[in-house]
Structure formats: structure tokens, C-alpha cells
């Protein structure tokens, strides 16, 4: 139960609260202008400051607007069980709170994280040493009893926008008195399944483009690569590095070129031999009678002197032919010798090149050795990747099977436990139904069920659905149900706080009934109901004769002047 909210600034309007129904009203001043508004006077900020003192993250409350509040400290007095606790928290140093519990003790500073653990232990009975991975926390649970922000008034089972499903299941199971650990373990098993799926994705062979593969395909690929690696390793073991490998390689290339050149020379020599031999066969001396006939046929009468001259010419030509034949024979003999010499040189060069090539075949250069080492290293890396992915895939397949069996077993145990808690469920369902009928004279259903996988499914229905107002009253009825359930325990927050957002769009008849219901139940069960309203939304004509609304107004903010606001100035 909250006793008071304090602020250190001079214009701050401290608020004091009492048991039962408490209304903080945003009212219109008698002299207010038509453009003044009841909005922005500080109603929602009061809820933020309560959360601030109860250990919320400062960045989500007033810290974005810290400028005007530098040097301010806010305090909250409230009951924790039978003790009165006083806590204060500075805007300038939000990581610490000053706590006095009980009121007679000396104040001591506590880190906000430890403050939350202490509150969770004292108010909700949470074990600070609980190592459950998906467990309820004080900050999550208290947000159901003091909803803040528009997202908190959209769904009875959620208090923040896009709330994870497991939060909804675990937190509401805890608050309703069901086995929240079942929901936590379901989430744990789901997380294991997601981890296995991620492991399966990581088994894709990114080192081998386009290859994904089943377990059998991966193992076949592993065998193939092992054989390739074995061959490369043997080649590396027998590899010999020649210190002058590049010199030998260049010498072999030079010899190849010389052999090619000598071959060309041999060919040209053979061609010359054939030419000279053909010319030798065609060489023959001419006779004088043949020359005479040639002149006779030409019609020329030759004298004796001319004939003698022809005989001399014939002798000259004969000698000339003999000399030419002698020259051709000598050239042919010389060319045969040159061809023989070139062939011998070609054989010598060929044998020398063979020696060089033999060295190249049996030895290698250092850089070739290094390339072979690198290739073997890359191959071994791929092989290790394959082995890891095969192991991962085996884990996934085995883990999926074990997980499926564990989920089935857990779902069975969760359903049995759920059935055993039928009286607890019936109590919550009965309260919600009664509260909804008091508001609408129509039945309301709080649906609590366990599906085949052990997940808790929650839903609320009120017969008169469809309007924004009915949706808000589902939240009202659910929160009242939680307040009633926790009032029956030794611990609990002892209060429910509703912002004016809850009543937006709600029919004034339902607002009147809700306020009277909150008054009766809080008085009967001993908890505190705090709500914030604009004065123009107070349904005075809808209250029953015995209900005196003004008796429950604990504070009025007024428009028209800054002094009527929470901080005494525009914030």
C-alpha cells in the first residue's frame, strides 16, 4: 500500500494516499480560460514517479526531460508487509536509492539492481538466488499493478508493446498462482530447439559453394576429401627441392630452342644437297656439230674459220662443265658432312635437354613446394570444417529426437499440474466473471487452458464486446482479479493503479460501476485502488445513493495556472 509521494522541489504537490479507493482528479479552475486543459497537469507523471522510486529504468521515465528537474529527489512511503518503507531516488544519481526499512532504521544506499531484488523478495516472494533462465522479475510483475503508457492498456495480459510470448505466459502464470516454472521450462525447451536450428544452419558448407548436403552426403564428401588430402600429403613427402631449379628450367628452354635451330639448319642443308645433285645430273658438254646445225637451221653459212672457233668454244664449254660438276660434287660432299655434324649436335643437345627435364621431373622449385603446402593446409581446413559440421548435424538430429521426447514428457506433467490447480483457476475465473457482471450485467470469461505442448493460453471475453470501452473494462476486471487474489496472500503489492487512459471511451455508467466496485472490493479485501480521472469524466449521475465520490478524492490538479500542476510549473 502506498502512503505518500514526495518531491524535493519547492512547488511540488506531494500526494498522500489512504486505504481503499483513492482518486487523483484533474479539475478545472473557476477562472480557467477556454484553451486551458486538464491534460498535462501531472496525472500520468505521478505513476512514472512511483515506478521511478520502485526501481524502474530512469531512461524510460523522467530522465529524457531531466533539465528542469536537476537536483531533484523523489521519495515514496509505502507498506512492505507490516513494515513501512521509505525510499528516495535522486534524478542526478539514479543508479542508487536511499532506503529506510522499517521507518525507524537509519537510511542506507542501495544499488537499483539490488533494490529490485529486495522488492521482488519482500513483495512477491521471489528468490534472488533463483537461476531459472526464464523467470519473473519484480519490475515485470509490478507493472501489472501499476500500468503505465498506452501500450499497457491494450491487452489484460501484457504491459508493454510487443511483449514476448514467454513473458506473458510466465508472468501471468505466476500472478494467477499457476505453475510458472512449467511455462519457463517450456520456453527453455523452445530455446534449445531454436539453438539446434541455428546449429543446423551453421552446418551448411560455406567453404564449398553450393553444397549443403544431408548427413550421408556430408560423410561422402568427407571421404572424398580425405583421399585427396592423403594424395597431396604423399606428394609433399616425396617432393625434392632443387637449389638451381630455375637455372635448370632456363637451360632446358635454351636447349629446346637450339635443337629447333639445328633442326632447321639440317633441313636447309638437305634441301641444298638435293638441289646440287639435281643440277649435277643436268650438266653435259655441247658438241660442235650441234652448234653448226643450229646455225644452219638459222640459215647462216659458216666458214672454216668459224667452225674452228666453234670447236674451241666447245672445248671451253666442256672444261667449264667439268669444273662446274667438280664444284657441285665438292659442295654435295661438304653439305653431307655438315648435315652429319648437325645431326650429331642435335643428338647431343637432345640428350642434354633430356638430362635437364629429368631434373625438372624429379625436383621442384621452393615456391612450388610452398604452394603444395598451402593447398594441403586449405584442404585440411575444409576437412576439419566437414568433420565439425557432421558432428553438429548428428547433435541436431539426436538433440531434436531427445527434445521431442522431453517436450512430450514435460507437456504431460504440465497438464497434470494444471489439472491439480483447478481450485486456483476456478477462483480466478469466478472473480473475473463476477466483476464483469457487476459492470455489464453480462458474463465474462477468463479462459485459462493448457495446449498439447504445455503452453498456457490466456484469453478474456465479455459478452458485450466490440467497443473500446469494453476492451478497457476487460483490463479493469483482470487487474481487480489479480488484486483480489494477492490480497489473500501474506505478501503482495497491496495496490492497483490505473491511469485515466483506462477510462477513455468507456461509457459513464461503466465508469461509475467500476469506481464503486473498486471501492467495495478494496475495502472488503484490504487493498488500495488508485485511479486518475479528469473531472469531466466523473459520472456523478451514475453513482448509487450511498457512494460519496468526493470522499475518495485525495488530490486535485487544476488547470488555469502553473501552480496547480504536479511540479508547480509546466513540465
Amino acid at each position: 500500500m502506498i502512503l505518500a509521494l514526495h518531491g524535493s522541489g519547492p512547488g511540488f504537490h506531494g500526494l498522500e494516499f489512504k486505504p481503499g479507493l483513492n482518486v487523483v482528479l484533474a479539475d478545472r479552475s473557476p477562472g480557467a480560460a477556454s484553451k486551458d486543459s486538464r491534460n498535462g497537469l501531472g496525472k500520468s507523471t505521478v505513476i512514472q514517479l512511483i515506478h521511478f522510486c520502485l526501481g524502474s529504468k530512469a531512461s524510460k521515465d523522467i530522465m529524457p526531460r531531466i533539465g528542469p528537474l536537476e537536483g531533484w529527489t523523489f521519495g515514496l512511503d509505502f507498506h512492505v508487509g507490516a513494515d513501512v518503507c521509505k525510499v528516495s531516488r535522486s534524478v542526478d544519481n539514479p543508479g542508487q536509492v536511499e532506503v529506510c526499512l522499517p521507518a525507524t532504521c537509519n537510511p542506507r544506499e542501495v544499488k537499483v539492481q539490488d533494490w529490485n531484488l529486495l522488492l521482488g523478495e519482500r513483495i512477491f516472494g521471489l528468490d534472488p538466488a533463483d537461476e531459472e533462465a526464464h523467470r519473473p522479475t519484480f519490475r515485470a510483475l509490478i507493472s501489472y499493478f501499476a500500468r503505465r503508457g498506452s501500450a499497457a492498456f491494450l491487452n489484460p495480459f501484457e504491459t508493454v508493446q510487443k511483449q514476448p510470448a514467454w513473458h506473458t505466459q510466465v508472468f501471468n502464470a505466476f500472478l494467477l498462482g499457476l505453475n510458472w516454472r512449467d511455462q519457463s521450462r517450456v520456453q527453455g525447451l523452445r530455446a534449445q530447439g531454436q539453438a539446434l536450428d541455428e546449429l543446423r544452419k551453421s552446418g551448411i558448407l560455406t567453404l564449398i559453394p553450393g553444397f549443403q548436403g544431408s548427413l550421408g552426403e556430408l560423410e561422402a564428401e568427407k571421404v572424398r576429401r580425405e583421399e585427396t588430402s592423403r594424395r597431396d600429403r604423399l606428394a609433399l613427402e616425396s617432393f625434392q627441392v632443387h637449389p638451381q631449379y630455375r637455372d635448370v628450367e632456363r637451360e632446358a628452354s635454351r636447349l629446346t630452342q637450339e635443337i629447333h635451330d639445328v633442326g632447321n639448319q639440317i633441313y636447309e642443308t638437305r634441301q641444298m644437297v638435293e638441289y646440287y645433285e639435281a643440277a649435277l645430273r643436268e650438266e653435259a658438254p655441247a658438241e660442235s656439230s650441234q652448234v653448226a646445225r643450229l646455225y644452219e637451221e638459222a640459215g647462216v653459212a659458216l666458214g672454216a674459220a668459224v667452225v674452228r672457233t666453234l670447236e674451241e668454244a666447245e672445248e671451253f664449254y666442256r672444261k667449264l662443265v667439268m669444273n662446274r660438276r667438280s664444284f657441285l660434287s665438292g659442295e654435295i660432299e661438304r653439305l653431307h658432312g655438315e648435315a652429319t655434324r648437325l645431326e650429331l649436335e642435335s643428338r647431343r643437345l637432345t640428350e642434354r635437354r633430356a638430362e635437364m627435364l629429368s631434373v625438372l621431373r624429379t625436383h621442384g622449385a621452393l615456391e612450388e613446394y610452398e604452394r603444395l603446402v598451402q593447398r594441403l593446409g586449405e584442404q585440411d581446413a575444409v576437412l576439419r570444417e566437414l568433420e565439425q559440421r557432421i558432428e553438429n548435424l548428428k547433435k541436431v538430429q539426436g538433440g531434436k529426437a531427445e527434445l521431442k521426447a522431453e517436450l512430450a514428457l514435460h507437456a504431460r506433467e504440465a497438464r497434470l499440474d494444471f489439472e491439480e490447480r483447478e481450485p486456483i483457476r476456478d477462483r480466478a475465473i469466478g472473480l473475473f466473471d463476477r466483476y464483469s457482471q457487476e459492470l455489464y450485467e453480462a458474463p465474462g470469461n477468463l479462459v485459462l487452458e493448457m495446449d498439447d505442448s504445455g503452453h498456457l493460453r490466456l484469453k478474456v471475453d465479455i459478452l458485450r464486446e466490440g467497443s473500446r470501452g469494453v476492451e478497457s473494462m476487460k483490463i479493469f476486471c483482470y487487474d481487480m482479479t489479480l488484486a483480489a487474489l494477492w490480497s489473500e496472500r501474506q505478501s503482495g503489492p497491496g495496490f492497483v493503479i490505473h491511469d485515466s487512459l483506462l477510462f477513455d471511451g468507456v461509457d459513464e455508467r461503466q465508469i461509475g460501476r467500476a469506481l464503486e466496485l473498486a471501492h467495495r472490493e478494496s475495502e472488503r479485501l484490504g487493498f488500495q485502488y488508485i485511479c486518475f480521472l479528469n473531472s469531466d469524466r466523473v459520472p456523478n449521475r451514475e453513482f448509487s445513493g450511498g457512494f460519496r465520490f468526493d470522499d475518495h478524492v485525495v488530490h486535485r490538479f487544476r488547470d488555469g495556472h502553473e501552480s496547480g500542476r504536479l511540479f508547480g510549473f509546466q513540465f
Side-chain angles (χ1 to χ4, degrees):
M1 182 181 298
I2 296 175
L3 302 177
L5 176 67
H6 311 285
S8 62
F12 185 79
H13 288 269
L15 285 84
E16 295 185 357
F17 301 96
K18 59 184 181 179
L21 175 62
N22 293 255
V23 179
V24 178
L25 203 63
D27 206 351
R28 182 173 184 177
S29 300
S34 60
K35 293 185 178 180
D36 289 327
S37 173
R38 298 175 179 85
N39 296 322
L41 298 180
K43 304 186 303 298
S44 299
T45 307
V46 171
I47 301 176
Q48 300 284 24
L49 291 176
I50 290 173
H51 275 284
F52 182 69
C53 293
L54 293 179
S56 67
K57 290 183 179 179
S59 60
K60 292 188 177 180
D61 296 310
I62 62 172
M63 297 310 290
R65 307 172 70 180
I66 188 175
L69 300 181
E70 288 183 355
W72 282 59
T73 298
F74 297 98
L76 189 70
D77 302 345
F78 62 104
H79 276 289
V80 178
D83 296 326
V84 175
C85 175
K86 293 181 179 289
V87 60
S88 62
R89 189 177 181 187
S90 168
V91 172
D92 296 344
N93 183 25
Q96 302 275 345
V97 297
E98 189 176 83
V99 181
C100 184
L101 180 68
T104 56
C105 78
N106 294 323
R108 60 189 178 96
E109 284 196 347
V110 179
K111 291 182 179 180
V112 170
Q113 297 92 324
D114 296 332
W115 176 231
N116 281 318
L117 292 175
L118 177 61
L119 289 174
E121 182 179 11
R122 295 295 298 272
I123 293 178
F124 292 109
L126 300 177
D127 182 1
D130 196 330
E131 296 182 355
E132 191 80 52
H134 305 90
R135 59 184 180 273
T137 64
F138 170 75
R139 289 301 318 153
L141 299 177
I142 199 64
S143 295
Y144 284 88
F145 294 89
R147 295 177 183 262
R148 53 178 176 158
S150 57
F153 295 97
L154 300 176
N155 186 316
F157 308 111
E158 299 176 1
T159 62
V160 296
Q161 192 173 13
K162 296 181 180 179
Q163 181 166 304
W166 77 264
H167 283 198
T168 302
Q169 293 158 353
V170 169
F171 300 162
N172 285 278
F174 179 89
L175 293 172
L176 291 168
L178 303 176
N179 191 338
W180 66 269
R181 292 188 185 275
D182 282 341
Q183 301 308 304
S184 176
R185 287 165 188 153
V186 166
Q187 177 59 29
L189 293 173
R190 288 179 61 187
Q192 291 180 35
Q194 291 170 357
L196 289 174
D197 290 339
E198 290 299 319
L199 192 60
R200 175 66 182 88
K201 292 177 183 178
S202 72
I204 297 175
L205 275 178
T206 54
L207 296 181
I208 306 177
F211 185 83
Q212 296 182 4
S214 64
L215 181 59
E217 290 170 333
L218 289 172
E219 290 178 335
E221 181 70 12
K222 174 176 172 287
V223 170
R224 185 183 71 79
R225 288 186 173 271
E226 283 176 338
E227 177 60 23
T228 301
S229 181
R230 185 188 66 80
R231 290 197 302 267
D232 286 351
R233 199 174 304 280
L234 289 175
L236 186 62
E237 290 173 356
S238 61
F239 195 93
Q240 300 181 59
V241 178
H242 195 285
Q244 286 84 37
Y245 181 88
R246 290 304 174 205
D247 294 338
V248 173
E249 188 177 47
R250 284 190 292 270
E251 178 68 10
S253 297
R254 186 187 64 78
L255 289 170
T256 300
Q257 183 61 44
E258 287 189 16
I259 291 170
H260 178 72
D261 294 341
V262 169
N264 289 338
Q265 293 177 35
I266 292 172
Y267 174 77
E268 292 173 357
T269 302
R270 296 294 185 193
Q271 289 295 100
M272 289 299 296
V273 168
E274 291 178 2
Y275 175 76
Y276 285 161
E277 287 177 344
L280 184 62
R281 287 192 298 271
E282 294 175 358
E283 288 293 337
E287 298 179 358
S288 59
S289 58
Q290 291 176 331
V291 177
R293 282 196 301 273
L294 179 62
Y295 277 90
E296 184 180 350
E297 291 173 359
V300 178
L302 300 176
V306 174
V307 172
R308 187 175 62 252
T309 303
L310 288 173
E311 289 175 352
E312 294 173 351
E314 180 182 354
E315 178 64 21
F316 172 78
Y317 183 71
R318 185 180 61 77
K319 292 180 179 179
L320 180 64
V321 168
M322 288 179 62
N323 291 336
R324 181 173 175 79
R325 287 178 64 85
S326 176
F327 169 76
L328 290 174
S329 297
E331 283 297 303
I332 290 171
E333 184 178 354
R334 184 186 67 78
L335 290 172
H336 275 301
E338 179 66 13
T340 300
R341 185 187 68 77
L342 289 173
E343 287 174 352
L344 291 172
E345 178 65 11
S346 177
R347 281 198 294 272
R348 185 187 70 79
L349 293 172
T350 301
E351 290 173 357
R352 177 60 178 162
R353 186 182 65 170
E355 293 176 2
M356 299 295 101
L357 293 177
S358 175
V359 171
L360 294 178
R361 282 195 298 272
T362 58
H363 295 74
L366 180 60
E367 56 266 30
E368 291 179 354
Y369 178 83
E370 291 173 346
R371 283 198 297 271
L372 185 58
V373 171
Q374 181 182 0
R375 189 176 74 171
L376 182 60
E378 292 171 352
Q379 188 69 28
D380 287 345
V382 174
L383 190 57
R384 288 193 298 271
E385 180 76 8
L386 265 171
E387 292 171 345
Q388 182 62 52
R389 290 168 193 260
I390 289 172
E391 182 182 352
N392 288 347
L393 191 54
K394 288 180 178 179
K395 287 181 180 178
V396 169
Q397 293 181 349
K400 284 284 189 181
E402 293 176 4
L403 187 61
K404 185 177 181 181
E406 190 173 354
L407 275 169
L409 177 61
H410 177 75
R412 179 176 177 275
E413 293 175 348
R415 287 194 297 271
L416 289 174
D417 182 88
F418 186 75
E419 293 301 324
E420 291 175 359
R421 295 175 188 254
E422 183 178 4
I424 296 174
R425 289 186 286 116
D426 289 348
R427 172 65 174 152
I429 292 169
L431 284 168
F432 185 87
D433 177 67
R434 181 164 71 83
Y435 293 152
S436 62
Q437 292 204 50
E438 289 201 33
L439 295 183
Y440 289 99
E441 297 180 353
N445 296 323
L446 172 61
V447 180
L448 307 173
E449 56 188 9
M450 186 76 67
D451 66 13
D452 292 340
S453 61
H455 289 92
L456 177 64
R457 302 300 182 192
L458 304 111
K459 185 172 68 170
V460 290
D461 291 313
I462 294 178
L463 188 60
R464 293 183 57 180
E465 289 193 70
S467 71
R468 168 70 179 88
V470 175
E471 295 302 312
S472 293
M473 289 300 97
K474 290 179 182 179
I475 296 173
F476 174 85
C477 292
Y478 184 70
D479 290 356
M480 290 295 292
T481 299
L482 294 182
L485 292 174
W486 279 86
S487 68
E488 298 169 358
R489 306 184 185 186
Q490 293 182 351
S491 61
F495 60 80
V496 174
I497 302 175
H498 281 154
D499 197 353
S500 58
L501 289 170
L502 178 71
F503 301 103
D504 288 348
V506 179
D507 187 280
E508 60 182 8
R509 290 169 293 181
Q510 273 65 54
I511 294 176
R513 291 179 182 178
L515 292 175
E516 291 198 46
L517 173 61
H519 166 60
R520 290 194 305 272
E521 287 299 283
S522 61
E523 291 285 344
R524 182 176 70 87
L525 297 173
F527 66 87
Q528 185 181 51
Y529 183 81
I530 302 173
C531 71
F532 298 81
L533 281 174
N534 290 336
S535 60
D536 59 343
R537 296 291 291 150
V538 177
N540 290 300
R541 291 181 297 181
E542 301 300 330
F543 293 133
S544 61
F547 180 72
R548 297 172 58 86
F549 175 78
D550 288 343
D551 292 347
H552 304 287
V553 177
V554 296
H555 190 84
R556 293 177 186 266
F557 295 118
R558 297 186 183 275
D559 62 359
H561 194 275
E562 290 189 351
S563 62
R565 301 176 184 275
L566 175 63
F567 295 102
F569 58 85
Q570 179 69 45
F571 180 67

